[in-house]
């Protein structure tokens, strides 16, 4: 596989000083666009006594107002568009956790930019025009399917628009059509790998070389397992409907953090409590500002996703700064008896323990005044029918290792293979039954 490929060397390897100059020019254009064409932003700027000419350097960014998910909801569906609907050629939406969906609109130029950043991202994963790219992200309002699709077409690869579901048929297609790159959520990739094993299809029967996985958090251990089971290099891709979809940031083959495509997206990491910018190395909430979006540019959008800025240059040659893999979201962080728990911490432990399947669910309940955390884990078929004593030993080992990491007590429930619901898109790892 040609790993050192770069899709657009001029921009991806642009010196930071030139990138910064480009960013300020594009930020000024974006601020002016939202000020004149989106009443929401004009009000927000005027409340701070600011106008578009007050943005002179990147340092002025911290004086600009934030945009939150609530602001999107209040302006649902088209209130933040800065072009007439006649200029909008595509609309996507994400289901969101509650209430109305979050909407993203695209002009023709926005679709071009999206295809460009996804072409860069797929190229990181080894894609070329000779690749057969199997897109098993859902097609539809969700941005995963069409986002990966248009990036793959931009490269000139052969695209298989498989979408989600029909897992056995997908595996047959991957085998028969010679798919070389798989693009889907990591939980669906794992499901594909497990079903392949059941069907007696080996990784050597496929031509897969790379996997571009995202849309949900996944641990390093999940990566190792996917790489091993599918015989691929698995990379992390990040994005969100509000900003553009997948392709905001992506790992390169160094697998040390995700490069944010800084010529299109300006990013900060802030303390979610105070809103202050945090220095490299500190974990906080990722905030993204559009630099080239036309239909719905957002200023300082609070993603709720938790990561950190990595200041060091990357040996791959790309100059765009990196952020760490996502720890989780501020809203999927569980607070259990005052302790912050991320599902990804539990996954990290589970996936290194033998005799368990990489399928799990976390259940939170309140008994009296106390929160209780139960982790249900599937045990491999052979092991489940073994003697009870071995199951008890395994249960104890999992409990001890999770408690070591979380510092709170947990209950472990080993369940039979195939009892936990499989995901075709984003996995539902947490069931919170507390009435908070
Ligand atoms: O999930 C876009 C996407 C599609 C990204 C395919 C990557 C691949 P939404 O449905 O709007 O868009 O959900 C966005 O998903 O705010 C994160 O919480 C989460 N997310 C996305 N990528 C990652 C990732 C798509 N690589 C929300 N790691 C975001 C962790 C991710 N979380």
């Amino acid at each position: 596989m040609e790993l050192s490929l770069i899709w657009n060397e001029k921009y991806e390897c642009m010196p930071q000083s030139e990138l910064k100059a480009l960013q300020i020019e594009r930020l000024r254009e974006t601020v002016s666009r939202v000020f004149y064409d989106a009443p929401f932003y004009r009000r927000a700027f005027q409340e701070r006594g600011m106008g578009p000419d007050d943005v002179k350097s990147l340092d002025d960014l911290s004086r600009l107002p934030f945009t939150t998910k609530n602001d999107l909801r209040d302006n649902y569906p088209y209130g933040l568009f800065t072009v007439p609907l006649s200029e909008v050629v595509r609309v996507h939406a994400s289901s969101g956790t509650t209430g109305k969906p979050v909407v993203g609109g695209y002009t023709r130029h926005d679709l071009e930019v999206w295809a460009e950043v996804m072409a860069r991202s797929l190229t990181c994963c080894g894609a070329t025009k000779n690749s057969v790219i199997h897109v098993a992200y859902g097609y539809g309002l969700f941005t995963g399917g069409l986002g990966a699709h248009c990036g793959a077409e931009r490269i000139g690869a052969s695209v298989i628009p498989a979408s989600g579901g029909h897992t056995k048929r997908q595996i047959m297609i991957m085998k028969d059509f010679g798919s070389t790159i798989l693009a889907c959520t990591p939980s669906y990739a794992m499901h594909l790998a497990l079903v392949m094993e059941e069907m007696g299809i080996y990784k050597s029967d496929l031509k897969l070389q790379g996997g571009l996985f995202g849309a949900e958090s996944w641990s390093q251990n999940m990566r190792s397992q996917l790489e091993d089971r599918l015989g691929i290099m698995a990379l992390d891709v990040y994005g969100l409907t509000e900003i553009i979809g997948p392709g905001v940031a992506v790992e390169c083959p160094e697998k040390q953090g995700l490069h944010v495509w800084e010529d299109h997206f300006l990013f900060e990491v802030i303390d979610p409590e105070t809103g202050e910018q945090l220095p490299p190395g500190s974990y906080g909430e990722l905030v993204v500002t559009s630099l080239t979006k036309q239909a719905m540019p957002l200023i300082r959008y609070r993603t709720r996703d938790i990561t950190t800025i990595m200041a060091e240059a990357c040996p791959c040659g790309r100059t765009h700064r990196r952020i760490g893999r996502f720890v989780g979201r501020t809203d999927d962080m569980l607070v259990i008896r005052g302790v912050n728990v991320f599902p990804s911490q539990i996954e990290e432990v589970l996936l290194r323990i033998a005799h368990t399947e990489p399928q799990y669910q976390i259940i939170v309940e309140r008994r009296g005044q106390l929160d209780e955390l139960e982790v249900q884990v599937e045990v491999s078929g052979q092991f489940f029918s073994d003697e009870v004593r071995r199951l008890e030993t395994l249960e104890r080992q999992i409990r001890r290792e999770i408690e070591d990491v979380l510092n709170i007590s947990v209950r472990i429930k080993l369940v039979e293979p195939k009892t936990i619901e499989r995901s075709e898109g984003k996995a539902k790892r947490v069931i919170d039954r507390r009435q908070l």
Side-chain angles (χ1 to χ4, degrees):
M1 189 166 29
E2 298 150 277
L3 284 184
S4 55
L5 286 178
I6 291 181
W7 173 252
N8 186 340
E9 205 174 317
K10 175 173 172 218
Y11 282 97
E12 292 178 59
C13 302
M14 183 178 262
Q16 268 288 326
S17 55
E18 284 177 40
L19 255 180
K20 291 234 149 49
L22 189 62
Q23 284 180 326
I24 183 64
E25 180 190 319
R26 291 181 168 178
L27 176 65
R28 284 169 60 89
E29 278 169 21
T30 303
V31 164
S32 171
R33 173 185 282 275
V34 298
F35 184 86
Y36 292 111
D37 296 321
F40 163 81
Y41 278 116
R42 185 160 48 250
R43 266 196 314 275
F45 277 70
Q46 282 171 343
E47 273 167 20
R48 301 180 158 234
M50 291 182 78
D53 293 337
D54 291 319
V55 179
K56 297 203 167 57
S57 78
L58 291 177
D59 292 337
D60 294 322
L61 184 66
S62 61
R63 296 166 51 220
L64 300 182
F66 288 117
T67 312
T68 64
K69 255 187 214 304
N70 279 343
D71 297 328
L72 297 193
R73 232 159 256 151
D74 293 346
N75 289 283
Y76 171 85
Y78 299 148
L80 291 177
F81 283 15
T82 53
V83 296
L85 213 48
S86 56
E87 296 301 309
V88 172
V89 297
R90 175 102 63 80
V91 176
H92 279 282
S94 123
S95 51
T97 38
T98 49
K100 298 281 190 195
V102 163
V103 176
Y106 305 76
T107 62
R108 206 170 289 287
H109 178 263
D110 293 335
L111 289 184
E112 295 276 312
V113 169
W114 193 14
E116 159 73 20
V117 290
M118 274 310 283
R120 293 182 192 176
S121 306
L122 284 159
T123 306
C124 281
C125 194
T128 66
K129 67 189 294 295
N130 300 320
S131 304
V132 178
I133 303 186
H134 187 101
V135 181
Y137 286 115
Y139 281 63
L141 283 175
F142 177 56
T143 51
L146 280 165
H149 185 107
C150 296
E153 276 190 354
R154 170 63 61 88
I155 292 174
S158 313
V159 192
I160 317 278
S163 195
H166 305 288
T167 305
K168 287 193 173 150
R169 192 159 155 264
Q170 297 234 13
I171 293 168
M172 178 190 81
I173 286 174
M174 281 202 287
K175 182 164 171 272
D176 295 348
F177 293 13
S179 306
T180 58
I181 306 260
L182 171 64
C184 62
T185 59
S187 55
Y188 191 56
M190 184 57 82
H191 182 46
L192 281 167
L194 295 175
V195 174
M196 249 171 70
E197 282 162 26
E198 274 167 42
M199 290 167 73
I201 292 181
Y202 297 97
K203 56 187 172 188
S204 54
D205 297 326
L206 303 186
K207 294 207 175 115
L208 279 185
Q209 296 178 319
L212 193 66
F213 304 137
E216 61 189 7
S217 321
W218 50 305
S219 62
Q220 291 285 3
N221 282 334
M222 178 78 122
R223 187 212 304 271
S224 317
Q225 290 227 7
L226 286 171
E227 293 193 324
D228 186 45
R229 286 172 192 256
L230 294 169
I232 55 172
M233 171 179 73
L235 299 183
D236 194 1
V237 63
Y238 169 80
L240 58 171
T241 314
E242 304 87 305
I243 295 296
I244 205 158
V248 172
V250 70
E251 281 181 326
C252 65
E254 298 290 326
K255 299 183 196 164
Q256 298 290 331
L258 295 85
H259 292 276
V260 180
W261 299 124
E262 289 191 276
D263 48 339
H264 296 290
F265 314 106
L266 193 56
F267 73 97
E268 311 158 72
V269 170
I270 62 158
D271 177 333
E273 302 293 326
T274 64
E276 294 297 316
Q277 289 179 344
L278 292 173
S282 303
Y283 277 83
E285 180 178 351
L286 180 73
V287 171
V288 183
T289 298
S290 320
L291 290 176
T292 49
K293 195 86 188 294
Q294 292 182 336
M296 198 184 94
L298 296 181
I299 303 292
R300 301 193 85 198
Y301 181 64
R302 294 190 57 160
T303 64
R304 302 189 183 177
D305 296 318
I306 299 168
T307 184
T308 183
I309 300 178
M310 300 168 70
E312 314 76 36
C314 182
C316 79
R318 292 176 184 82
T319 49
H320 296 232
R321 283 175 308 153
R322 289 166 297 166
I323 49 176
R325 277 164 73 85
F326 290 87
V327 180
R329 298 172 54 84
T330 49
D331 43 7
D332 73 13
M333 182 180 82
L334 295 162
V335 183
I336 311 282
R337 281 169 260 150
V339 176
N340 297 348
V341 173
F342 286 103
S344 58
Q345 293 174 291
I346 296 174
E347 178 179 297
E348 190 74 40
V349 174
L350 289 178
L351 267 63
R352 64 171 185 243
I353 294 179
H355 309 302
T356 61
E357 294 288 341
Q359 302 285 2
Y360 66 95
Q361 205 151 42
I362 299 163
I363 296 171
V364 193
E365 273 170 322
R366 179 158 289 173
R367 298 253 161 96
Q369 289 307 307
L370 268 194
D371 294 334
E372 292 198 352
L373 191 66
E374 176 176 285
V375 181
Q376 300 188 347
V377 196
E378 280 185 19
V379 178
S380 42
Q382 166 61 33
F383 201 85
F384 199 80
S385 47
D386 263 14
E387 25 176 324
V388 177
R389 195 167 47 81
R390 287 188 58 194
L391 283 173
E392 284 173 355
T393 312
L394 178 62
E395 203 173 283
R396 265 200 306 278
Q397 182 200 353
I398 299 175
R399 196 177 65 229
R400 210 176 37 244
E401 296 202 21
I402 293 184
E403 289 182 347
D404 273 355
V405 172
L406 302 183
N407 282 315
I408 53 167
S409 58
V410 294
R411 202 168 50 230
I412 305 299
K413 185 170 174 195
L414 300 180
V415 299
E416 277 185 65
K418 296 201 198 151
T419 42
I420 290 173
E421 197 190 332
R422 298 318 195 231
S423 93
E424 289 172 3
K426 299 184 192 235
K428 183 155 178 52
R429 302 288 195 200
V430 180
I431 299 178
D432 196 337
R433 299 201 179 117
R434 295 173 296 181
Q435 309 279 315
L436 292 180

